Amino acid sequence: MRYELMLPHQIRKAIAQNWPIALPLGVLEYHGEHMAVGMDTLAVVKTLELFEKEREIVILPPFYYGAASYAVAPPEGTGSVQVGGNQLAPFAEELFYSLLRIGFRNVHAIIHHQTENFAAGMPTDLAFKAAGRQAIFRFLEKERGEGWWGSEAMAAYYAEHAEGSNFFNWVQVHPLMPAEMNGKYPFDHAGIGETSLMLALCPEAVDAGHFADNTSWYTASAPDASAALGAEGVAMIMDHLRTILRG
């Protein structure tokens, strides 16, 4: 269910039933001459739309304005939009804090951009990860007061944490393609892997007529892309979403 279309009684139902709340998180970045600049975010949006057909979920309006960086190409004439992590973190904290105030306890930001080193992190996901933690601490201190963790009411914290009952899981950030997909599906930038994903999920984002206009090494494999290969990647991503987005 799209958050912007929900009525208050539907929001209360989602809270009561602990539906996953998903934020498609991404960037606007140059992806060669043959592919739309919104590819990274579109991949998240379109797979969540498929997931929405299977299970109850709230999908927040997508956030496209992450830290694309100019590592791939300068922005002039290519379309990359760069908003640095230091600017993203305050926004993200306020967003997550607001969602916690509403009553949501199952919030997930999902990102595809620069996730090949997700454990170490990159500017966008690091900003949102840190913001999630800050929002949780801030919310708990507001609700429970200073010294909340050291109170006797928290004596079972470590046991509950081991069982998975962890309020730090109220806000999480995940890669769209988990590490388990490495070696099973091509991870690239605007090459066969990403182009195939778009052919399967959002074919209007690819124009094969511009393959020949590419001159960069990272796009060399793009002409070999296919919707069939993309569908294999989508199936793996869907399995990942089924694991992380639980009610």
Side-chain angles (χ1 to χ4, degrees):
M1 185 172 288
R2 309 311 167 86
Y3 186 74
E4 64 270 26
L5 296 175
M6 294 177 74
L7 302 178
H9 75 89
Q10 295 170 317
I11 292 172
R12 289 190 289 270
K13 178 181 178 181
I15 293 169
Q17 297 183 358
N18 200 35
W19 291 7
I21 314 302
L23 170 66
L25 176 59
V27 299
L28 297 166
E29 181 187 31
Y30 181 68
H31 277 75
E33 296 296 311
H34 68 286
M35 195 151 58
V37 294
M39 182 275 154
D40 285 338
T41 318
L42 286 168
V44 180
V45 170
K46 295 300 182 179
T47 48
L48 284 174
E49 288 176 355
L50 294 175
F51 187 84
E52 184 183 21
K53 297 176 182 178
E54 294 185 6
R55 297 183 185 177
E56 301 284 16
I57 184 174
V58 176
I59 302 176
L60 294 168
F63 184 82
Y64 278 89
Y65 301 104
S69 87
Y70 301 139
V72 171
E76 289 79 10
T78 66
S80 293
V81 175
Q82 161 67 12
V83 179
N86 290 339
Q87 286 70 46
L88 294 173
F91 163 80
E93 181 180 337
E94 294 304 320
L95 172 61
F96 291 143
Y97 183 72
S98 182
L99 293 172
L100 293 172
R101 285 285 305 272
I102 290 165
F104 297 125
R105 301 290 184 269
N106 195 4
V107 180
H108 304 263
I110 301 172
I111 184 170
H112 178 60
H113 177 65
Q114 294 180 336
T115 56
E116 63 271 25
N117 295 307
F118 190 76
M122 286 291 191
T124 304
D125 57 87
L126 284 173
F128 276 76
K129 287 176 187 174
R133 287 290 187 265
Q134 288 292 106
I136 292 168
F137 272 112
R138 178 178 158 195
F139 178 78
L140 288 169
E141 188 168 306
K142 175 184 179 296
E143 292 293 302
R144 306 182 185 188
E146 293 181 353
W148 61 269
W149 189 88
S151 69
E152 194 62 28
M154 294 299 298
Y157 169 77
Y158 287 113
E160 292 172 355
H161 190 284
E163 294 171 358
S165 179
N166 179 1
F167 35 69
F168 291 113
N169 286 336
W170 288 351
V171 179
Q172 300 181 58
V173 181
H174 311 275
L176 182 69
M177 294 174 60
E180 292 74 19
M181 284 183 65
N182 290 343
K184 299 177 183 177
Y185 187 85
F187 195 106
D188 56 33
H189 178 79
I192 185 174
E194 289 195 335
T195 305
S196 293
L197 279 183
M198 283 294 94
L199 288 173
L201 291 167
C202 187
E204 63 269 33
V206 178
D207 187 343
H210 286 276
F211 282 141
D213 297 332
N214 289 319
T215 58
S216 302
W217 63 269
Y218 53 83
T219 57
S221 62
D224 298 323
S226 69
L229 176 61
E232 294 179 17
V234 171
M236 296 179 203
I237 291 169
M238 291 296 289
D239 284 341
H240 173 53
L241 294 181
R242 293 182 189 109
T243 298
I244 63 175
L245 300 179
R246 298 177 178 271

